[in-house]
């Protein structure tokens, strides 16, 4: 800004410029945003500074299952239709995609753990929940009762944290639960919410700050004397928007005082919480079927209208019905996959992938299944194997689409293996769309 006025207040609006691809599904009348995906890959992402040198994320693909809420994905003309878009300042490399249909009793729900874990390990274990318990009490950082706020997934989030010095950070804060039925009994806590992430440049700034660091969420339990002690139970942050994080307590909570709390200074907003006690008969049989896409078309679409769903504590959300062609981002130059049929590229994780950038869309179609049997309902999960790289100026190799990543590489952008004959043929046939 040139020549700002004296005593003028300058406000930089926090915008989400990079994180992931977007998943939309046909809901019967229109395509609607479900969640973000390919979240665990971060090619060239600076993580911090150690011994004076910048550390970068490992160059591994994102393997993940994301849950599509029951009843959201509906059949159209004998097919399930899905859209995967890139609308942020980044490029995606989608290598494999499949739709997993899980039939289960109508009185149960099925989840996967959508918390951040090792990027190249898919959290594929599915959890059947039947007759869960609501926390007997839930309190925010300032002692405010938030039990009702967490009673259902309704985009009413627990917030009100004191902001930290960087986007995606807060002052250290707690969320405390009383889980009476988990006293001394194996139990499992389910938390749904979203993360407002940092980005590459913010990570560099945090690393240079010296006196501030990101504290990932961890669990403490009551120590029996009114204080708290660190628990061995593991919790990680949600991978983006509208995700479910699952925490196991194999031995339950202390019998005398079944309280636990989550501590972090990451900007995480929780929407729903419930827990399950491992009683006999809670495990419901699941019928799990994997559907391969029967068609896949890459095309340019544009950019959906962005808004905040759920008020000031809600995530950035995207309206598929309102689209603009003009990009809000500087183009990442390089060679992308040519438009048209890309189905052969999505059948297996073989380093022959769809390279798509801001404004691109993949239209996927899966053959519909017969209706579930009587007494059963169906939940869908989308599986993907993909790489992602954002164009932040502090992302290593983030100025261009190339070099193309490979499974099994040890470093990025250096250390990428030379193309073998199959990879070279893929490049010659599909990688022909040059963007300046």
């Amino acid at each position: 800004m040139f020549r700002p006025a004296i005593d003028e207040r300058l406000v930089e609006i926090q915008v989400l410029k990079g994180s992931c691809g977007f998943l939309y599904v046909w809901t019967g009348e229109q395509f609607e945003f479900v969640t973000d995906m390919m979240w665990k890959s971060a090619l060239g992402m600076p993580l911090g500074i150690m011994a004076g040198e910048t550390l970068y994320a490992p160059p591994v693909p994102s393997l993940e299952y994301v849950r599509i809420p029951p009843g959201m994905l509906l059949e159209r003309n004998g097919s399930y239709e899905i859209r995967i878009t890139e609308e942020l300042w980044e490029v995606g490399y989608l290598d494999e995609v499949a739709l997993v249909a899980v039939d289960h009793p109508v009185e149960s729900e099925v989840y996967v753990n959508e918390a951040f874990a090792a990027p190249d390990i898919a959290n594929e274990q599915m959890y059947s929940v039947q007759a869960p318990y609501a926390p007997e009490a839930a309190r925010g950082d300032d002692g405010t009762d938030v039990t009702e706020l967490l009673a259902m997934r309704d985009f009413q989030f627990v917030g009100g944290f004191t902001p930290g010095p960087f986007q995606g950070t807060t002052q250290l804060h707690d969320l405390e639960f009383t889980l009476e039925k988990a006293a001394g009994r194996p139990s499992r806590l389910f938390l749904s919410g979203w993360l407002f992430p940092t980005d590459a440049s913010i990570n560099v700034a945090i690393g240079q700050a010296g006196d501030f660091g990101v504290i990932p969420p961890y669990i403490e339990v009551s120590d029996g004397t009114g204080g708290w002690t660190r628990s061995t139970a593991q919790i990680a942050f949600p991978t983006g928007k509208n995700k479910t994080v699952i925490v196991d307590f194999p031995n339950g909570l202390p019998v005398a005082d079944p309280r636990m709390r989550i501590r972090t200074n990451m900007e995480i907003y929780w929407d729903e919480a419930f827990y399950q006690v491992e009683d006999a008969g809670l495990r419901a049989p699941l019928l799990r079927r994997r559907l391969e896409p029967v068609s896949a078309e890459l095309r340019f679409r544009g950019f959906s209208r962005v808004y905040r769903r759920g008020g000031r504590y809600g995530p950035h959300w995207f309206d598929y019905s309102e689209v603009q062609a003009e990009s809000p981002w500087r183009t990442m130059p390089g060679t992308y996959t040519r438009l048209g049929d890309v189905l052969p590229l999505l059948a297996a994780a073989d380093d022959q992938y769809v390279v798509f950038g801001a404004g691109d869309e993949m239209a996927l179609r899966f053959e519909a299944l017969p209706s579930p049997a009587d007494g059963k309902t169906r939940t869908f999960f989308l599986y993907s194997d993909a790489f992602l790289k954002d164009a932040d100026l502090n992302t290593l190799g983030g100025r261009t689409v190339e070099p193309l990543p490979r499974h099994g590489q040890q470093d990025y952008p250096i250390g990428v293996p030379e193309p073998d004959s199959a990879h070279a043929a893929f490049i010659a046939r599909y990688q022909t769309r040059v963007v300046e």
Side-chain angles (χ1 to χ4, degrees):
M1 298 185 68
F2 297 94
R3 301 183 183 277
I6 295 172
D7 293 333
E8 180 180 6
R9 182 181 295 272
L10 307 179
V11 178
E12 180 182 7
I13 298 175
Q14 291 185 332
V15 292
L16 190 67
K17 63 182 177 61
S19 73
C20 50
F22 296 158
L23 170 63
Y24 301 86
V25 302
W26 178 256
T27 61
E29 296 182 355
Q30 61 185 355
F31 286 98
E32 292 187 16
F33 179 73
V34 179
T35 187
D36 37 14
M37 55 179 293
M38 311 186 316
W39 216 90
K40 296 193 292 180
S41 173
L43 294 173
M45 173 65 71
L47 301 180
I49 297 177
M50 184 68 69
E53 294 188 2
T54 303
L55 300 178
Y56 292 92
V60 293
S62 168
L63 307 185
E64 67 175 359
Y65 290 84
V66 295
R67 182 177 186 261
I68 300 171
M72 192 170 186
L73 173 58
L74 299 182
E75 176 184 340
R76 180 163 76 159
N77 299 326
S79 300
Y80 304 122
E81 294 193 27
I82 282 176
R83 303 290 185 261
I84 298 175
T85 67
E86 263 299 355
E87 303 185 43
L88 301 178
W89 196 27
E90 59 197 14
V91 60
Y93 312 80
L94 183 61
D95 205 353
E96 182 181 7
V97 65
L99 188 64
V100 178
V102 180
D103 290 2
H104 53 95
V106 293
E107 63 271 16
S108 65
E109 296 264 14
V110 178
Y111 296 88
V112 293
N113 191 357
E114 296 170 300
F116 187 86
D120 55 346
I121 298 176
N123 295 342
E124 61 181 332
Q125 181 179 353
M126 295 188 176
Y127 299 84
S128 178
V129 178
Q130 188 170 319
Y133 299 111
E136 283 71 23
R139 285 169 287 276
D141 189 56
D142 59 357
T144 302
D145 187 333
V146 295
T147 310
E148 291 300 319
L149 202 57
L150 293 169
M152 65 179 65
R153 188 179 298 200
D154 57 2
F155 287 86
Q156 300 301 308
F157 299 90
V158 176
F161 319 123
T162 301
F166 304 98
Q167 174 185 301
T169 70
T170 68
Q171 298 301 316
L172 187 65
H173 62 275
D174 306 329
L175 181 59
E176 178 187 322
F177 293 98
T178 300
L179 311 177
E180 293 179 357
K181 296 177 181 63
R185 302 165 67 188
S187 53
R188 186 171 288 134
L189 177 65
F190 294 76
L191 296 154
S192 296
W194 72 283
L195 169 75
F196 196 169
T198 61
D199 59 30
S201 289
I202 292 173
N203 288 347
V204 170
I206 292 173
Q208 294 172 345
D211 58 350
F212 183 88
V214 173
I215 302 173
Y218 63 93
I219 300 290
E220 291 184 330
V221 298
S222 60
D223 63 4
T225 62
W228 298 92
T229 185
R230 186 77 174 254
S231 172
T232 57
Q234 299 297 309
I235 183 174
F237 54 85
T239 52
K241 312 176 199 305
N242 204 25
K243 300 293 174 62
T244 298
V245 172
I246 302 173
V247 185
D248 278 309
F249 296 96
N251 300 314
L253 295 180
V255 174
D257 186 1
R259 291 182 301 138
M260 52 78 61
R261 69 180 184 182
I262 304 167
R263 310 201 83 194
T264 185
N265 68 352
M266 298 178 73
E267 198 169 348
I268 302 173
Y269 299 89
W270 300 113
D271 186 11
E272 182 186 33
F274 57 85
Y275 71 106
Q276 179 186 31
V277 175
E278 290 293 292
D279 288 331
L282 276 181
R283 297 188 180 277
L286 305 177
L287 174 60
R288 175 172 170 168
R289 285 170 288 189
R290 176 182 168 114
L291 307 178
E292 307 294 341
V294 295
S295 71
E297 180 189 358
L298 178 65
R299 57 202 185 196
F300 180 83
R301 172 180 169 265
F303 304 86
S304 301
R305 179 177 71 87
V306 184
Y307 65 101
R308 296 292 289 269
R309 184 175 181 184
R312 63 180 298 190
Y313 302 138
H316 296 88
W317 215 249
F318 305 89
D319 186 346
Y320 189 88
S321 66
E322 296 187 33
V323 62
Q324 67 175 35
E326 183 180 357
S327 175
W329 316 112
R330 178 182 179 273
T331 299
M332 184 188 286
T335 305
Y336 294 78
T337 301
R338 58 105 178 101
L339 303 181
D341 178 26
V342 290
L343 183 63
L345 300 179
L346 301 175
D350 56 3
D351 291 324
Q352 299 181 33
Y353 36 63
V354 179
V355 182
F356 63 121
D360 287 345
E361 170 185 81
M362 266 179 286
L364 303 175
R365 188 168 59 86
F366 301 82
E367 186 175 348
L369 294 169
S371 299
D374 290 344
K376 302 283 187 177
T377 189
R378 181 171 294 152
T379 300
F380 291 100
F381 299 85
L382 190 73
Y383 172 75
S384 61
D385 179 314
F387 297 91
L388 191 83
K389 180 171 68 173
D390 71 50
D392 188 293
L393 300 185
N394 279 292
T395 296
L396 198 63
R399 305 296 179 91
T400 61
V401 172
E402 289 79 12
L404 299 181
R406 304 285 291 275
H407 287 77
Q409 68 192 66
Q410 300 301 310
D411 206 349
Y412 187 90
I414 62 174
V416 178
E418 291 296 322
D420 53 24
S421 58
H423 198 256
F426 147 71
I427 292 174
R429 179 177 179 183
Y430 288 98
Q431 292 302 105
T432 58
R433 181 168 51 119
V434 178
V435 176
E436 299 295 341

